[in-house]
């Protein structure tokens, strides 16, 4: 009997529903963790620097403590999640991110501030890894690219708003209200956690983080993303220093265009990945990222700085979407936590290494040449990107051959 389903019905069957109640609740936790983190990201270093005996070394110390704890938390999170479950880890992460912020309203001692940063870094890492794995389980595989890109948008908007808003609130209302706001946003979002899926036995053998790092299928996209993240750390850290002091408006425009372009391109790349695959997006994302850094090297040309930052943002967004979509598609559900950890470690470590390394190189060559050398370094990641594309094409060809053999056997 012929099917009575029309074209629209077949399209609906091919594209399962994306927006569900658990995913909407996950949006709440994404916004809560991201807003809490970024509200204080630029405020706490100034808070430490302006305290008793403050100095630029204290500002660097608290930021370093935050990022160190974040990377350490990302490495241990898959092991903990395997024992506690992703939902428990996400709730614990929000608690560790929010509650310690209140301690900043009690003491301005350096020891207290560093301790708060260490605990909040662990909490943020738990929300990233456990939340990322939960997200992957809530999204239909056929719409994984679009769903992950949408989560990226939900996390990106609070960062765009939170960074300048935190600094503005601290200037006009004092540090106390900012700390209370960051704490309450994270703590209130814990209310959404019970509505998320509980601990379930994930199909497939467990995948440790070191085993995942040794796997070429995960190692190649991780390396490509880490290299693009190097550029992100450099742009955020050194663009205000590389551009002439009289062009503060140019710096503000460039620093807005970069994340805005990344957020938009990540969304479009995710939708494209669902239709044509993500493997072919890594090379364009990498090339666009390097091209943007190269254009930014014209630090004396305001238009070039803004355009270069936007082009880099486009490439970075494509690389974000392509790599995370590929990595989730290559593991069973039991490996989602490991994928989330590897991807976030690549993000944070890439940004940190980029900032430290660029500062050393720029001291020897000056900023323009340091940007040129960075762009050249980023292009070396074309090697693993091309290897990955070749491997993906071979895998698809083998899949088609297996399908043809199966169909021939049925006939």
């Amino acid at each position: 009997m012929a099917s009575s389903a029309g074209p629209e019905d077949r399209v609906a069957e091919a594209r399962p529903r994306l927006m569900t109640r658990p995913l909407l609740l996950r949006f709440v936790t994404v916004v809560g963790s991201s807003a809490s983190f970024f509200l204080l990201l630029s405020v706490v270093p100034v808070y430490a620097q302006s305290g008793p005996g403050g100095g630029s070394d204290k500002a660097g110390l608290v930021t370093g403590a935050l990022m160190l704890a974040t990377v350490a938390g990302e490495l241990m999170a898959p092991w903990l999640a395997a024992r506690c479950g992703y939902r428990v880890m996400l709730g614990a992460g929000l608690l560790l991110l929010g509650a310690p912020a209140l301690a900043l309203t009690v003491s301005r001692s350096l020891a207290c501030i560093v301790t708060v940063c260490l605990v909040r870094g662990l909490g943020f890492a738990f929300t990233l890894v456990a939340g990322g794995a939960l997200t992957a389980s809530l999204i239909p595989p056929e719409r994984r690219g679009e769903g992950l890109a949408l989560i990226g948008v939900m996390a990106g908007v609070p960062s765009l708003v939170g960074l300048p808003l935190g600094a503005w609130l601290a200037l006009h209302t004092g540090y106390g209200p900012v700390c209370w706001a960051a704490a309450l946003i994270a703590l209130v979002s814990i209310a959404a956690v019970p509505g998320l899926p509980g601990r379930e036995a994930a199909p497939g053998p467990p995948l440790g983080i070191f085993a995942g790092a040794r796997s070429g299928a995960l190692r190649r996209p991780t390396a490509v993303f880490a290299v693009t993240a190097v550029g992100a750390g450099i742009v955020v850290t050194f663009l205000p220093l590389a551009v002439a002091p009289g062009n503060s408006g140019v710096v503000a425009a460039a620093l807005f265009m970069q994340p805005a372009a990344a957020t938009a391109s990540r969304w479009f790349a995710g939708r494209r990945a669902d239709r044509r695959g993500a493997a072919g997006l890594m090379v364009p994302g990498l090339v666009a990222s390097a091209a943007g850094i190269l254009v930014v090297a014209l630090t004396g040309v305001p238009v070039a700085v803004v355009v270069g930052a936007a082009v880099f943002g486009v490439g970075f967004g494509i690389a974000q979407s392509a790599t995370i979509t590929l990595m989730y598609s290559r593991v069973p559900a039991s490996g989602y936590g490991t994928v989330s950890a590897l991807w976030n470690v690549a993000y944070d470590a890439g940004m940190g290494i980029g900032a430290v390394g660029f500062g050393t190189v720029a001291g020897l060559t000056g900023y323009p040449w340091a940007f040129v050398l960075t762009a050249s370094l980023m292009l070396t990641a074309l090697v693993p990107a091309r290897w990955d594309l070749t491997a993906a094409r071979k895998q698809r060809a083998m899949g088609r051959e297996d399908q043809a053999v199966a169909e021939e056997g049925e006939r």
Side-chain angles (χ1 to χ4, degrees):
M1 181 177 178
S3 172
S4 61
E8 294 181 359
D9 296 325
R10 288 192 293 270
V11 170
E13 293 173 1
R15 289 178 60 79
R17 181 185 178 192
L18 177 62
M19 301 302 295
T20 60
R21 182 177 182 275
L23 188 60
L24 291 174
L25 291 174
R26 173 68 186 125
F27 288 166
V28 174
T29 63
V30 169
V31 173
S33 60
S34 184
S36 177
F37 182 80
F38 284 102
L39 268 176
L40 292 181
L41 183 60
S42 61
V43 171
V44 174
V46 180
Y47 183 67
Q49 188 174 343
S50 61
S56 59
D57 57 335
K58 290 189 176 182
L61 178 62
V62 298
T63 300
L66 179 70
M67 299 314 298
L68 176 64
T70 300
V71 173
E74 288 164 351
L75 292 174
M76 71 171 68
W79 180 84
L80 290 172
R83 286 148 181 81
C84 304
Y86 294 127
R87 186 170 64 178
V88 171
M89 284 289 294
L90 178 58
L94 289 168
L95 179 64
L96 294 176
L97 184 62
L102 298 176
L104 296 175
T105 65
V106 178
S107 173
R108 298 192 68 171
S109 70
L110 182 61
C112 175
I113 296 174
V114 170
T115 302
V116 167
C117 288
L118 289 172
V119 177
R120 293 189 82 238
L122 284 175
F124 189 56
F126 292 169
T127 66
L128 291 174
V129 175
L134 264 175
T135 299
S137 68
L138 297 174
I139 298 173
E142 299 85 352
R143 302 188 70 176
R144 180 176 283 128
E146 182 181 0
L148 293 174
L150 185 57
I151 285 288
V153 172
M154 298 301 296
V157 172
S159 68
L160 280 172
V161 176
L163 277 171
L165 180 60
W168 184 89
L169 286 173
L171 179 63
H172 291 86
T173 68
Y175 293 107
V178 187
C179 295
W180 274 97
L184 290 176
I185 289 172
L187 295 176
V188 168
S189 63
I190 295 176
V193 173
L196 296 172
R199 185 175 184 178
E200 297 179 1
L207 179 65
I209 190 165
F210 294 108
R214 290 193 299 268
S215 166
L218 298 183
R219 185 177 64 248
R220 292 187 296 265
T222 299
V224 171
F225 181 57
V227 169
T228 58
V230 164
I234 290 170
V235 169
V236 172
T237 305
F238 289 98
L239 200 59
L241 302 175
V243 176
N247 290 326
S248 58
V250 173
V251 173
L255 291 180
F256 174 80
M257 288 299 298
Q258 186 264 313
T263 300
S265 65
R266 187 173 180 181
W267 167 256
F268 286 109
R271 290 179 61 86
R272 192 270 188 194
D274 288 337
R275 290 163 172 78
R276 300 185 181 181
L281 291 172
M282 280 204 296
V283 170
L286 186 59
V287 170
S289 298
I293 294 293
L294 188 61
V295 175
V296 169
L298 300 172
T299 55
V301 183
V303 174
V305 172
V306 176
V307 171
V311 172
F312 171 77
V314 169
F316 187 53
I318 294 173
Q320 283 181 303
S321 186
T323 53
I324 191 65
T325 302
L326 273 177
M327 292 169 71
Y328 276 126
S329 69
R330 292 173 176 177
V331 298
S334 58
Y336 286 170
T338 294
V339 165
S340 183
L342 286 173
W343 192 84
N344 282 290
V345 167
Y347 198 160
D348 296 328
M351 289 188 69
I353 292 171
V356 173
F358 186 89
T360 303
V361 173
L364 300 173
T365 66
Y367 289 117
W369 277 109
F371 280 116
V372 172
L373 291 174
T374 299
S376 302
L377 174 66
M378 291 173 67
L379 289 176
T380 62
L382 284 172
V383 175
R386 292 292 301 177
W387 285 348
D388 195 87
L389 182 59
T390 300
R393 286 173 175 170
K394 288 181 179 179
Q395 190 68 29
R396 286 199 301 270
M398 292 175 60
R400 286 194 295 268
E401 290 177 2
D402 292 343
Q403 183 179 2
V405 171
E407 291 175 352
E408 182 65 25
E410 290 177 0
R411 288 196 294 269

